[in-house]
Structure formats: structure tokens, C-alpha cells
Amino acid sequence: MYQATLSRRSYRFSDLRQLMAKASPARSGDYLAEVAADSTEERMAARIALAEVPLKTFLQQLLVPYEQDEVTRLIIDSHDVLAFAPISHLTVGDFRDWLLSEQADSLMLTRVAAGITPEMAAAVSKLMRNQDLILVAKKCRVITRFRNTIGLPGHLSVRLQPNHPTDSLQGIAASMLDGLLYGSGDAVVGINPASDSLPLLEKLNYMLDDVIQRFAIPTQSCVLTHVTNTLRLIERGAPVDLVFQSIAGTEAANSGFGINLALLAEAQQAALSLNRGTLGHNVMYFETGQGSCLSSNAHHGVDQQTCEARAYAVARHFSPLLINTVVGFIGPEYLYDGKQIIRAGLEDHFCGKLLGLPLGCDVCYTNHAEADQDDMDTLLTLLATAGLTFLIGVPGADDIMLNYQSTSFHDALYIRELLGLKHAPEFADWLTKMHITDDQGRLRDTAANHPLLLALQGEQP
């Protein structure tokens, strides 16, 4: 039992799970799950009580039972006691103060990351203002490598997302080359296929590989199909760079995705066996999003933001090159409006970085949400200020296959210019070599005979 008194009224919370949910900022998904605070005052009382909870409590009072959930078992069994030692004496409130202090610099945050559980990260985020989430995330350093280096301070990468509603190879190629000519694609060139046809998926892999190899682009490709399809593609000898999978924070939700930890481990080993990375061996790419556990009725009464943080434990176990929250994609049933989407995006980025992950964000919303592109401009600017690893680049910010609104190649240009952010260094060198950018990283006017344009037209460069 936890309790706090506010305005002469005593509030009681039956267990840690309820306390966490009641302390969470208001969002439609938690109301849908009937776990949210009934009032602003109750929410504040829950935060007061949560601030007094020792971090050690999260290793003893498990929100999802150990016996029922392999994600919980992963979190507990892989917990690094030595990394936890410097903060093991703190309460959640003390942890917030420590994170905001000068003592918690980039080196120290890297040292303790393996000792922080997702529930600890989620708990402290509930006590933080937006500026706190930004400041702490900015101090976290997470660097990954495959064919280039992602996550360096002062850098921002872009996933080039050339989706097409009919998986037209010509349409995908046009969007891909458009993005490259705008300087996008250093995180990954990643396609969400409309079909699960294995022959088509194979064609997409070969097309991406052909462009990357022909022009010696220091980046990686990914066809974002189910992990079992990727395993079959590897067996067929397809040129697979990264293995993709959507993941969630409970075993039951992951079962709904048709996956478990053993399957992800098998896929990781299969990708590593191809030895396609030139600079590193981070071969996994994960996507997450608040509300996925609730949407599959697999949340165990845990609030959606804590469930999301638990998904990061799954990702951390497999040392991914990339992971991003698709923050507003599930819809207003879970994040109702721009305010809730902005808060969720900052929470996700903070928790992921605190846990040692290369967290990016699909700054996005669905057309029936109470949000617009101005809200996305705000979230993009805040996240980039906070040290966002990568964002999504979609032609015109309108994904015509997935039918949602994201960020564009032009948005990437805006945020790079505003904050002086650079491409991945190897990719930056390639852009200069290809006369796409000048020595200062600024876009050049593209001539009609540029080799990438000639390739689009089917001509020999």
C-alpha cells in the first residue's frame, strides 16, 4: 500500500502497478484501460508517493509476474548489479535529482545504463517536466555501427522510407533516389512492404542492395517484413542487411506479433552469419509504440508508457543498430492529441536513451487524431534538441502506403540547419563525393545528368 496526503485528503494506492499508472501523465489509452488517475489532484498525490519509492523496490515488486512473462524474466535475470550500485541507494525522486545534476554526465550515464530497469526509467520520467526529459536525454551517448556510424554527438540520421501502396519497384526507386538527393538515408533505407509475398520481398532486397552497391553508399537497407519472412529470405540467399521486427513490452503482446525472444535470437544470429556490416555488427532494427500492449489486451493492468519502456528491455538485449518509437501511429484511442503525442515522444526518447538504446522517432500522427503538422514540428524540434538518434524521411511527409503523416526530407533539412546537425560521417563524405552536398554539407543544385537521376531513368551512369 502506498499513500500521500494532498489538500487534506489522503490518497491510497494498492500496489506499485496502480501507483505507476496513477502517476502517469494523462493520455487516452490509460483512460481506455481504466488505470488512469481520476483527477489531477490524484495524479499529483501518486507522484508524491512515487517519489519516495526506493529504486530497489522495482527489483522486488514486479509489475508483471516473473512466472508468467519472459520479458520480466529478461529484465530481472539480465540486471547488472555492479552498474546499478552507484544509484542503488536512491529513491525515484532522488534519481530524478541525480539525473539532472552535473554528476550524471555522459560517461556516468553510460556506466549505469545496464543497471537501470525499464520500470525505473518509466517511474522517474513520470516525475519529470518536458525540459527535464530533454536535458537528461541530451547527455546520453549511444553509438551503433553497420556500414556507417550512427548516434555521434551533434549528428542526426534519417531513415529514408520510400513506401509504395502497390510495392511498385519503379515508384519505390523514385522515392528512394529523391531522398538520397535530399541527403536522407544515412540511418537506413527502409521499405514497409504492402505485401508479404516472398518473391516480391526478395526483389525489394535485391533492388535496395543493387543501388547501395552500385553507388557504394555507406548505409544499410531493410525490408520491414515479419522476422519469419526475413529468416526465409536469408535462407534463400537474399542480401539482407538488417532484421526488422515490431516488439512490445510483455510476452503476451509479443505473442500477438508472432514472436518471442528465442525467435529474435535466431534471426540475429542468422543476420550476423552473413557478415555484411563493414564497420560494425549491429544487425537488428526494432519499432515500438505506446498502446501496443493495450491494443492486444496484453498489458496486465500496467500503464501504456511503462509497457513501452519494457519493450526497450527486449531491444537492448539484441544490441540493435536502430530502434524507433512510432509515437502517434496507433491513433487517438491511445494518444488523443498533439499534447499527448509530444509528451509521449519525449518520454519514449528519454527512457530509451537512459537504457542505452539508439532511440529514434517516427514523429507522426494519424489523420483522425487531434493533431497537425505544427505539433509534429514542435516534437521534432524538441527531440532533435534532446539528441534524437534518427528520424523518418517520407516524400512530402505523407506516407501513401501506411496512410499517416510523418516527417519529410525537407523537415530533415530544416532541423539540420536550425541546430547545425550533421549526417553520419561516412555518409556525409559520400554526399560530398557524389556532388549532392558541398564541403559545408549544404545541398547543391542537382544537374539533369547526375548519375542517380540517370539510374532512375534506366540509363548507365
Tab-separated table of all heavy atoms in Angstrom, residues 16 20 47 49-58 89-99 119-128:
chain	number	residue	atom	x	y	z
A	16	LEU	N	2.301	-1.157	-6.457
A	16	LEU	CA	3.208	-0.347	-7.261
A	16	LEU	C	2.683	-0.151	-8.678
A	16	LEU	O	2.848	0.912	-9.270
A	16	LEU	CB	4.591	-1.006	-7.295
A	16	LEU	CG	5.734	-0.222	-7.935
A	16	LEU	CD1	5.920	1.134	-7.258
A	16	LEU	CD2	7.026	-1.022	-7.872
A	20	MET	N	2.106	3.549	-10.263
A	20	MET	CA	2.738	3.981	-11.510
A	20	MET	C	1.699	4.497	-12.504
A	20	MET	O	1.878	5.537	-13.147
A	20	MET	CB	3.509	2.813	-12.126
A	20	MET	CG	4.739	2.400	-11.356
A	20	MET	SD	6.186	3.371	-11.804
A	20	MET	CE	6.631	2.591	-13.357
A	47	ARG	N	2.278	10.956	-7.702
A	47	ARG	CA	3.670	11.336	-7.969
A	47	ARG	C	4.434	11.602	-6.666
A	47	ARG	O	5.616	11.261	-6.560
A	47	ARG	CB	3.704	12.569	-8.875
A	47	ARG	CG	3.257	12.272	-10.294
A	47	ARG	CD	3.172	13.518	-11.146
A	47	ARG	NE	2.722	13.195	-12.493
A	47	ARG	CZ	2.413	14.091	-13.427
A	47	ARG	NH1	2.496	15.381	-13.142
A	47	ARG	NH2	2.022	13.700	-14.623
A	49	ALA	N	3.851	10.155	-3.810
A	49	ALA	CA	4.131	8.838	-3.229
A	49	ALA	C	5.212	8.103	-4.024
A	49	ALA	O	6.092	7.455	-3.444
A	49	ALA	CB	2.845	8.018	-3.172
A	50	LEU	N	5.160	8.211	-5.339
A	50	LEU	CA	6.137	7.523	-6.190
A	50	LEU	C	7.547	8.052	-5.950
A	50	LEU	O	8.521	7.292	-5.981
A	50	LEU	CB	5.755	7.693	-7.661
A	50	LEU	CG	6.650	7.012	-8.705
A	50	LEU	CD1	6.698	5.501	-8.491
A	50	LEU	CD2	6.164	7.343	-10.121
A	51	ALA	N	7.670	9.330	-5.681
A	51	ALA	CA	8.989	9.933	-5.449
A	51	ALA	C	9.699	9.318	-4.246
A	51	ALA	O	10.930	9.325	-4.172
A	51	ALA	CB	8.852	11.442	-5.258
A	52	GLU	N	8.930	8.750	-3.300
A	52	GLU	CA	9.521	8.171	-2.088
A	52	GLU	C	9.853	6.692	-2.232
A	52	GLU	O	10.412	6.088	-1.307
A	52	GLU	CB	8.549	8.358	-0.916
A	52	GLU	CG	8.245	9.805	-0.585
A	52	GLU	CD	9.499	10.609	-0.256
A	52	GLU	OE1	10.375	10.066	0.459
A	52	GLU	OE2	9.614	11.761	-0.722
A	53	VAL	N	9.539	6.103	-3.382
A	53	VAL	CA	9.784	4.663	-3.572
A	53	VAL	C	11.262	4.423	-3.882
A	53	VAL	O	11.804	5.023	-4.824
A	53	VAL	CB	8.909	4.113	-4.714
A	53	VAL	CG1	9.253	2.648	-5.000
A	53	VAL	CG2	7.426	4.254	-4.369
A	54	PRO	N	11.949	3.555	-3.142
A	54	PRO	CA	13.348	3.237	-3.456
A	54	PRO	C	13.454	2.520	-4.808
A	54	PRO	O	12.583	1.703	-5.158
A	54	PRO	CB	13.775	2.308	-2.312
A	54	PRO	CG	12.803	2.578	-1.210
A	54	PRO	CD	11.513	2.905	-1.882
A	55	LEU	N	14.510	2.804	-5.541
A	55	LEU	CA	14.700	2.130	-6.830
A	55	LEU	C	14.770	0.617	-6.649
A	55	LEU	O	14.333	-0.148	-7.523
A	55	LEU	CB	15.974	2.639	-7.503
A	55	LEU	CG	15.965	4.090	-8.007
A	55	LEU	CD1	17.302	4.417	-8.671
A	55	LEU	CD2	14.819	4.344	-8.977
A	56	LYS	N	15.319	0.149	-5.531
A	56	LYS	CA	15.433	-1.290	-5.283
A	56	LYS	C	14.075	-1.984	-5.292
A	56	LYS	O	13.984	-3.188	-5.567
A	56	LYS	CB	16.120	-1.536	-3.941
A	56	LYS	CG	17.595	-1.169	-3.905
A	56	LYS	CD	18.183	-1.429	-2.524
A	56	LYS	CE	19.660	-1.084	-2.471
A	56	LYS	NZ	20.243	-1.283	-1.121
A	57	THR	N	13.027	-1.228	-4.980
A	57	THR	CA	11.688	-1.816	-4.923
A	57	THR	C	11.295	-2.429	-6.265
A	57	THR	O	10.585	-3.439	-6.317
A	57	THR	CB	10.659	-0.749	-4.505
A	57	THR	OG1	11.035	-0.208	-3.236
A	57	THR	CG2	9.259	-1.330	-4.404
A	58	PHE	N	11.755	-1.832	-7.357
A	58	PHE	CA	11.367	-2.327	-8.682
A	58	PHE	C	12.003	-3.674	-9.009
A	58	PHE	O	11.571	-4.355	-9.945
A	58	PHE	CB	11.734	-1.291	-9.753
A	58	PHE	CG	10.932	-0.031	-9.653
A	58	PHE	CD1	11.422	1.074	-8.981
A	58	PHE	CD2	9.666	0.035	-10.203
A	58	PHE	CE1	10.682	2.233	-8.870
A	58	PHE	CE2	8.904	1.200	-10.105
A	58	PHE	CZ	9.414	2.296	-9.429
A	89	HIS	N	21.039	3.266	-3.881
A	89	HIS	CA	20.534	3.822	-2.619
A	89	HIS	C	19.464	4.893	-2.826
A	89	HIS	O	18.895	5.399	-1.854
A	89	HIS	CB	21.699	4.444	-1.840
A	89	HIS	CG	22.363	5.580	-2.570
A	89	HIS	ND1	23.129	5.386	-3.709
A	89	HIS	CD2	22.358	6.931	-2.339
A	89	HIS	CE1	23.579	6.567	-4.126
A	89	HIS	NE2	23.119	7.508	-3.322
A	90	LEU	N	19.175	5.228	-4.067
A	90	LEU	CA	18.295	6.364	-4.363
A	90	LEU	C	16.822	5.961	-4.381
A	90	LEU	O	16.470	4.829	-4.706
A	90	LEU	CB	18.657	6.968	-5.720
A	90	LEU	CG	20.078	7.508	-5.888
A	90	LEU	CD1	20.289	8.004	-7.315
A	90	LEU	CD2	20.363	8.630	-4.886
A	91	THR	N	15.969	6.927	-4.049
A	91	THR	CA	14.538	6.801	-4.331
A	91	THR	C	14.289	7.313	-5.738
A	91	THR	O	15.185	7.873	-6.395
A	91	THR	CB	13.705	7.621	-3.342
A	91	THR	OG1	13.993	9.021	-3.551
A	91	THR	CG2	14.017	7.240	-1.895
A	92	VAL	N	13.061	7.174	-6.217
A	92	VAL	CA	12.723	7.669	-7.553
A	92	VAL	C	12.918	9.181	-7.616
A	92	VAL	O	13.452	9.718	-8.593
A	92	VAL	CB	11.277	7.286	-7.934
A	92	VAL	CG1	10.906	7.887	-9.294
A	92	VAL	CG2	11.108	5.770	-7.967
A	93	GLY	N	12.510	9.887	-6.570
A	93	GLY	CA	12.704	11.332	-6.533
A	93	GLY	C	14.168	11.720	-6.502
A	93	GLY	O	14.601	12.656	-7.187
A	94	ASP	N	14.950	10.991	-5.696
A	94	ASP	CA	16.392	11.238	-5.661
A	94	ASP	C	17.020	10.967	-7.022
A	94	ASP	O	17.946	11.674	-7.437
A	94	ASP	CB	17.065	10.332	-4.628
A	94	ASP	CG	16.644	10.649	-3.205
A	94	ASP	OD1	16.274	11.815	-2.948
A	94	ASP	OD2	16.694	9.730	-2.367
A	95	PHE	N	16.537	9.925	-7.694
A	95	PHE	CA	17.060	9.555	-9.013
A	95	PHE	C	16.840	10.687	-10.008
A	95	PHE	O	17.728	11.022	-10.803
A	95	PHE	CB	16.374	8.271	-9.470
A	95	PHE	CG	16.943	7.660	-10.724
A	95	PHE	CD1	18.305	7.720	-11.010
A	95	PHE	CD2	16.110	6.993	-11.610
A	95	PHE	CE1	18.825	7.135	-12.165
A	95	PHE	CE2	16.613	6.407	-12.765
A	95	PHE	CZ	17.975	6.477	-13.039
A	96	ARG	N	15.668	11.315	-9.940
A	96	ARG	CA	15.416	12.466	-10.812
A	96	ARG	C	16.429	13.566	-10.545
A	96	ARG	O	17.023	14.123	-11.489
A	96	ARG	CB	13.998	13.001	-10.590
A	96	ARG	CG	13.727	14.313	-11.328
A	96	ARG	CD	12.416	14.946	-10.872
A	96	ARG	NE	12.218	16.235	-11.529
A	96	ARG	CZ	12.706	17.388	-11.082
A	96	ARG	NH1	13.446	17.415	-9.969
A	96	ARG	NH2	12.484	18.513	-11.731
A	97	ASP	N	16.632	13.895	-9.291
A	97	ASP	CA	17.574	14.965	-8.946
A	97	ASP	C	18.989	14.610	-9.405
A	97	ASP	O	19.733	15.470	-9.890
A	97	ASP	CB	17.556	15.222	-7.435
A	97	ASP	CG	16.226	15.781	-6.955
A	97	ASP	OD1	15.458	16.290	-7.788
A	97	ASP	OD2	15.949	15.691	-5.736
A	98	TRP	N	19.355	13.340	-9.244
A	98	TRP	CA	20.696	12.898	-9.648
A	98	TRP	C	20.868	12.995	-11.155
A	98	TRP	O	21.903	13.452	-11.648
A	98	TRP	CB	20.914	11.465	-9.162
A	98	TRP	CG	22.275	10.915	-9.510
A	98	TRP	CD1	23.440	11.112	-8.828
A	98	TRP	CD2	22.601	10.081	-10.621
A	98	TRP	NE1	24.476	10.448	-9.451
A	98	TRP	CE2	23.994	9.801	-10.546
A	98	TRP	CE3	21.853	9.527	-11.668
A	98	TRP	CZ2	24.637	9.011	-11.493
A	98	TRP	CZ3	22.504	8.732	-12.610
A	98	TRP	CH2	23.881	8.479	-12.517
A	99	LEU	N	19.859	12.576	-11.904
A	99	LEU	CA	19.939	12.635	-13.360
A	99	LEU	C	20.114	14.070	-13.862
A	99	LEU	O	20.798	14.303	-14.868
A	99	LEU	CB	18.677	12.029	-13.986
A	99	LEU	CG	18.540	10.509	-13.901
A	99	LEU	CD1	17.139	10.081	-14.337
A	99	LEU	CD2	19.596	9.807	-14.751
A	119	GLU	N	11.237	-0.230	-15.704
A	119	GLU	CA	10.289	0.318	-14.739
A	119	GLU	C	10.882	1.493	-13.975
A	119	GLU	O	10.174	2.461	-13.666
A	119	GLU	CB	9.848	-0.785	-13.772
A	119	GLU	CG	8.972	-1.853	-14.390
A	119	GLU	CD	9.759	-2.967	-15.080
A	119	GLU	OE1	11.014	-2.860	-15.159
A	119	GLU	OE2	9.130	-3.931	-15.544
A	120	MET	N	12.176	1.437	-13.662
A	120	MET	CA	12.842	2.577	-13.019
A	120	MET	C	12.829	3.788	-13.939
A	120	MET	O	12.557	4.920	-13.498
A	120	MET	CB	14.281	2.220	-12.669
A	120	MET	CG	14.461	1.153	-11.624
A	120	MET	SD	16.222	0.748	-11.440
A	120	MET	CE	16.140	-0.777	-10.503
A	121	ALA	N	13.140	3.566	-15.214
A	121	ALA	CA	13.154	4.669	-16.185
A	121	ALA	C	11.764	5.264	-16.343
A	121	ALA	O	11.593	6.493	-16.376
A	121	ALA	CB	13.684	4.176	-17.529
A	122	ALA	N	10.758	4.400	-16.458
A	122	ALA	CA	9.387	4.894	-16.598
A	122	ALA	C	8.961	5.673	-15.362
A	122	ALA	O	8.320	6.724	-15.466
A	122	ALA	CB	8.439	3.722	-16.851
A	123	ALA	N	9.318	5.168	-14.184
A	123	ALA	CA	8.912	5.824	-12.935
A	123	ALA	C	9.486	7.232	-12.840
A	123	ALA	O	8.768	8.191	-12.539
A	123	ALA	CB	9.350	4.986	-11.735
A	124	VAL	N	10.778	7.363	-13.100
A	124	VAL	CA	11.388	8.684	-12.951
A	124	VAL	C	10.874	9.646	-14.020
A	124	VAL	O	10.726	10.845	-13.767
A	124	VAL	CB	12.930	8.584	-12.957
A	124	VAL	CG1	13.476	8.329	-14.358
A	124	VAL	CG2	13.551	9.848	-12.366
A	125	SER	N	10.541	9.129	-15.199
A	125	SER	CA	10.013	10.013	-16.248
A	125	SER	C	8.692	10.641	-15.828
A	125	SER	O	8.369	11.757	-16.249
A	125	SER	CB	9.827	9.239	-17.559
A	125	SER	OG	8.687	8.402	-17.526
A	126	LYS	N	7.923	9.940	-14.985
A	126	LYS	CA	6.615	10.441	-14.564
A	126	LYS	C	6.742	11.632	-13.618
A	126	LYS	O	5.778	12.370	-13.403
A	126	LYS	CB	5.812	9.314	-13.904
A	126	LYS	CG	5.522	8.148	-14.847
A	126	LYS	CD	4.800	7.020	-14.139
A	126	LYS	CE	4.765	5.753	-14.984
A	126	LYS	NZ	4.092	5.906	-16.271
A	127	LEU	N	7.938	11.818	-13.044
A	127	LEU	CA	8.181	12.953	-12.157
A	127	LEU	C	8.813	14.135	-12.882
A	127	LEU	O	9.059	15.176	-12.267
A	127	LEU	CB	9.111	12.529	-11.013
A	127	LEU	CG	8.704	11.316	-10.173
A	127	LEU	CD1	9.686	11.140	-9.023
A	127	LEU	CD2	7.279	11.445	-9.657
A	128	MET	N	9.082	13.991	-14.162
A	128	MET	CA	9.869	14.984	-14.881
A	128	MET	C	9.010	15.837	-15.798
A	128	MET	O	8.060	15.360	-16.417
A	128	MET	CB	10.961	14.284	-15.698
A	128	MET	CG	11.885	13.425	-14.847
A	128	MET	SD	13.124	12.531	-15.800
A	128	MET	CE	14.507	13.655	-15.671
